[in-house]
Structure formats: C-alpha cells, structure tokens
Amino acid sequence: MAVLIDGVRTTDQLPVVVIGAGPIGLAAAAHLIERDIEPLVLEAGPSAGHAVRGWAHVRLFSPWAEVTDPAAEKLLAPTGWVRPDGAAYPTGGDWAVQYLQPLADVLGDKVRYGVTVTGVARAGRDRIVDAGRDEQPFTVHILTADGHEERITARAVIDASGTWSTPSPLGANGLPALGEKAAADRISYRVPDLTDPAVRARYAGRSTAVVGSGASAFTALAHLADLAKNEPGTHAVWILRRGITGSTYGGGEADELPARGALGLRAKAAVESGYASAATGFRTESVERDADDRLVLVDEDGRHLDPVDEVIVLTGLRPDLSFLSELRLALDERLQAPTALAPLIDPNVHSCGTVYPHGVNELSHPEQGVYLVGMKSYGRAPTFLAMTGFEQVRSIAAAIAGDREAAERVELTLPETGVCGGAGLFDDPDVVQSGDGGGCCAAPATLQIGIGAPVTASGGC
C-alpha cells in the first residue's frame, strides 16, 4: 500500500519494479539510480541476461560501443570495469558474461533472481474500478523458485521481460498446429548451436524442416548447410508460407544491411546447392507421424510434405501479456505494441534506419505508471533497436522523477555508420577493416539484436 508520511499517503518512497534483468531492464535500473529512485529488478532466471544466454552462440550485428548503456557504465566504472574493444562484436554469451552480469552484481540486492511475476494490478483495484485508481500503488505478485508466493508494492512498473520466452507457433493462423504440442520432443523454436555436440548429433545425417522467412530461418539454413557438407544425409526443407520472389532472400548485395544481405545469399546458396529444398505456399495446419515415427507436415489444403526427423520453427516472437491482464493498456490490435509506438515500428512500413528514437510519450498507457520497454514494447514487430531501448528507459526514469523536460528530450544520437554492421561479415578481418560490413542505411543507423547469421557455424549475430 502507499506509505503514510506525516498523515499523507504517498507512493514516492516505494521502489520501481523492473521486470527482467536483461540489457534494457538493467539499464532502466541504472537510470533510476541516477535519479535517486530505488529500483527492484525481478529476474525469472538464475542469472542476469538469462534470455540473452539462450542465444549465447549468436553474434550481434553491432559492436561493443553500441550495446552498453551510459548510465550503466557510470555504475560499473568504480569497480574497474572497462568496456571491451568498442569495435569488436560480442556474442550473446559475451554480452551476458562481460557486461550484464557485472552490472547486475553492482546492483547487488536490487536484483532478485528466480522470481517469476504472475500478476500486476493496482492495489485494491481490478481493471474495472475507477475510483481512486491513480492514487493507488501497484501490487506485483511473484512466485519464487521454491514455490513461495509474495506480493510487492511499487510506485511504478517497467516491464522489460522481452519476448524470448514466447516464440510464435508452427500453425499459420498464429495458433499451434494440430499435433504440434504432441510432437514437442522433435520441434525446436531456436536457432541451433551446432558447436554443441548434443545439438549437432540431433541434426547430423537427418532431415529437418525449417519454418520461417526471416533472418533466423536464414541462419538455421546456413548452419544446416554447413553441417551437410561434413555429415552425409543431412538435409533441410525450408517451409515458406509464401512463394519465392526476388525479395525472399533479402536484398542480397544491394541490401541496406550488408550482413543481412550476405545471410540471405547463404540461404539461397544452401537451396541452389541442394543442401536444402524449398516448400512454398505452405501454411501448416497439422503435424502427423508416419509408420516410422517421422513427422509429416500438412497444410490447410491437405498437402502432405515428405517425412522429416526434426522441425525448427522460427516464425517470430510475441509478448506474454497474461500477467498484465488487470492493467489498462493501450495496445495496437496487430502488433500488440503501445498504440503510439506501433505506427513507428510497423514492419510493413519501417526498416532499420527509419524508426526514430522515442520515449515516455510513445510508451505511456491509460494506466499511469506502467511501461512496456525494449523487446516487449515492440510486441510482434521483428526488429528491436537496442540503442533506442536505452533511450526509452532514460526517458521513463526522467518522467518518474518528475523531470518532464528531460523525459521529452531526445538524447540519443545514432552513429552515421556501423550500428547495423557486424554479423555475417565481421568474422572476415578484411571486411571489418574496409568497413564493408558496417553501416545500415543512408540515414543514421540502428541496432538489431539477436538476429542474423555467421560466416562460420560458430559465429552468430
């Protein structure tokens, strides 16, 4: 409940709860501390950057200079922490171990691990009640790793929980295909790390369906093609809901993101070399098993594909909004992003260099004091801008502190080159030094996180 000070109820002495100890959640905590506001970061995993560690083998499109937050660096400086070479491109594992965990360690008991948020509401008010709503603090219900339930009272809530935990399903209608859940032991929703012997053994010498048309699917196809060169019998079947057109493989050599273009060309080479085949216009409706216990995908027209041993579903990610059901959120009906932000990130209109920095105005909801940030704020839009995410939480921290002028001021300046450069070409020193792998667009560039493909199987995005 609100704190009673000299007979006056106030929430100012309560912490701001931040959900998620990833790059944006920890940056939010750093900016709150800079404003003398107490943060409490709740992380479901056992360590900082738990979701990032899930793609530890994948390399970012951007170098170190563009994936650390300024307020966070100020907190780290007294510990002797020095940012790694600003021109080097970290993997997800590098990012988590060399930056996120040290930052969380500095925050100390302001970060709690093994804590799952199960609900957020106004204290004493469900979403129907108007009376006195804005004066009530938030109540955050949590479940600890040992099964203990708690309730935390907060002055504001910043949801930086991301979308990694909720990949989109195989079914073309956005719901799981019939039989998808029953075949869960043979279906993966992640880009495989083929440097892991167990993962490599799962796909070596076997037939794998790869479902999806984005950079993650390109990555999986490229990895499986590399595996097929050394492991006879390895084959990929690329399943596309649309037909193959001139843009299916991205922009190729003309792509505004050279790394992405190179990735698409590798996927194209995998198909043309015979390491992968393509099934186009296929919208999966069900998953069946044949007499040999292999998986058969069936589309909405009853077409059956040849049996495969494994399926990799890379059809995007989506936000988990279930624990926010008692809050009054204004979300776009398509993207599930804040309504003021959605037009800026609509993938049908915008790409890497056209989403401008934004803050509290675009991220506010009818429920005052609750904010979705980072990947979570982008809903189902596929391209998250990490530097813009840092700007989001800087603006929100200023707003919570009552500094509206700073909250509405844009402080992010995106570099003219290099922000999107990296994965796909950076492993070639000649490419990095020449600058051919850097740069995103003619306009100031932005950052993509966790999407892309390496030149070698051990690289990433």
Side-chain angles (χ1 to χ4, degrees):
M1 300 299 293
V3 179
L4 197 65
I5 299 178
D6 296 330
V8 179
R9 293 168 67 85
T10 176
T11 61
D12 291 350
Q13 304 305 309
L14 296 172
V16 173
V17 164
V18 180
I19 306 174
I24 308 306
L26 293 175
H31 282 280
L32 290 168
I33 289 173
E34 195 169 55
R35 291 279 181 174
D36 294 322
I37 299 171
E38 183 75 9
L40 177 59
V41 183
L42 305 177
E43 169 57 48
S47 58
H50 180 65
V52 174
R53 295 172 197 262
W55 47 273
H57 61 294
V58 178
R59 198 172 294 272
L60 279 69
F61 273 132
S62 248
W64 274 111
E66 292 143 7
V67 296
T68 58
D69 177 80
E73 289 198 26
K74 291 178 184 178
L75 281 182
L76 284 164
T79 71
W81 181 87
V82 177
R83 187 179 64 199
D85 179 5
Y89 294 86
T91 63
D94 296 334
W95 205 18
V97 172
Q98 298 179 44
Y99 168 64
L100 298 178
Q101 192 61 58
L103 177 55
D105 292 344
V106 169
L107 292 169
D109 60 6
K110 293 178 175 60
V111 181
R112 291 185 60 183
Y113 301 108
V115 175
T116 300
V117 175
T118 59
V120 182
R122 288 286 186 180
R125 308 288 191 276
D126 64 21
R127 68 182 297 159
I128 298 175
V129 178
D130 290 335
R133 186 176 192 87
D134 290 345
E135 289 72 43
Q136 294 299 309
F138 291 95
T139 180
V140 181
H141 291 224
I142 66 172
L143 182 67
T144 63
D146 60 4
H148 180 64
E149 291 183 293
E150 295 181 29
R151 185 168 52 207
I152 298 171
T153 306
R155 64 185 289 188
V157 176
I158 298 175
D159 183 358
S161 60
T163 57
W164 178 254
S165 64
T166 47
S168 296
L170 174 60
N173 61 1
L175 300 174
L178 297 178
E180 181 174 349
K181 294 180 180 178
D185 62 322
R186 309 274 286 281
I187 299 177
S188 170
Y189 300 86
R190 310 298 186 198
V191 174
D193 179 7
L194 298 181
T195 64
D196 182 325
V199 175
R200 186 180 182 90
R202 177 174 179 174
Y203 299 102
R206 312 186 82 190
S207 178
T208 301
V210 177
V211 186
S213 59
S216 294
F218 291 169
T219 303
L221 288 169
H223 285 189
L224 291 171
D226 289 341
L227 182 63
K229 295 173 185 177
N230 300 304
E231 297 285 352
T234 303
H235 186 74
V237 181
W238 187 17
I239 298 177
L240 293 155
R241 292 172 180 171
R242 299 187 179 93
I244 292 181
T245 66
S247 62
T248 297
Y249 299 102
E253 294 179 358
D255 200 301
E256 63 184 12
L257 265 175
R260 184 176 60 190
L263 175 58
L265 293 176
R266 291 188 66 207
K268 183 178 182 181
V271 173
E272 293 180 344
S273 64
Y275 293 121
S277 54
T280 61
F282 193 95
R283 298 177 178 272
T284 307
E285 185 172 87
S286 64
V287 182
E288 300 177 355
R289 292 181 186 261
D290 69 2
D292 297 321
D293 200 35
R294 303 180 79 201
L295 302 183
V296 177
L297 302 188
V298 184
D299 77 358
E300 57 191 8
D301 296 323
R303 179 164 50 135
H304 290 59
L305 294 184
D306 291 338
V308 295
D309 301 294
E310 299 282 343
V311 178
I312 299 175
V313 180
L314 299 168
T315 52
L317 302 167
R318 57 183 60 178
D320 176 8
L321 301 169
S322 61
F323 60 88
L324 304 176
S325 62
E326 292 306 313
L327 298 177
R328 298 175 177 181
L329 303 179
L331 298 174
D332 180 74
E333 66 274 10
R334 291 179 304 156
L335 297 182
Q336 296 179 299
T339 52
L341 176 62
L344 311 182
I345 60 174
D346 186 343
N348 295 305
V349 178
H350 298 282
S351 63
C352 165
T354 61
V355 179
Y356 62 78
H358 51 273
V360 68
N361 288 337
E362 292 83 2
L363 298 171
S364 293
H365 294 275
E367 194 78 73
Q368 298 179 29
V370 61
Y371 307 96
L372 278 58
V373 300
M375 288 284 290
K376 188 73 171 273
S377 73
Y378 273 46
R380 298 195 186 196
T383 305
F384 167 55
L385 318 174
M387 293 181 76
T388 305
F390 297 148
E391 173 69 2
Q392 287 179 342
V393 295
R394 182 209 62 78
S395 172
I396 288 169
I400 294 173
D403 187 349
R404 199 71 195 182
E405 188 277 330
E408 297 183 354
R409 182 175 64 240
V410 175
E411 294 188 0
L412 173 64
T413 301
L414 295 171
E416 293 183 0
T417 61
V419 183
C420 280
L425 297 178
F426 67 86
D427 282 329
D428 183 342
D430 293 334
V431 171
V432 174
Q433 292 176 10
S434 71
D436 292 339
C440 169
C441 321
T446 54
L447 169 67
Q448 290 190 326
I449 295 296
I451 303 175
V455 170
T456 64
S458 62
C461 51

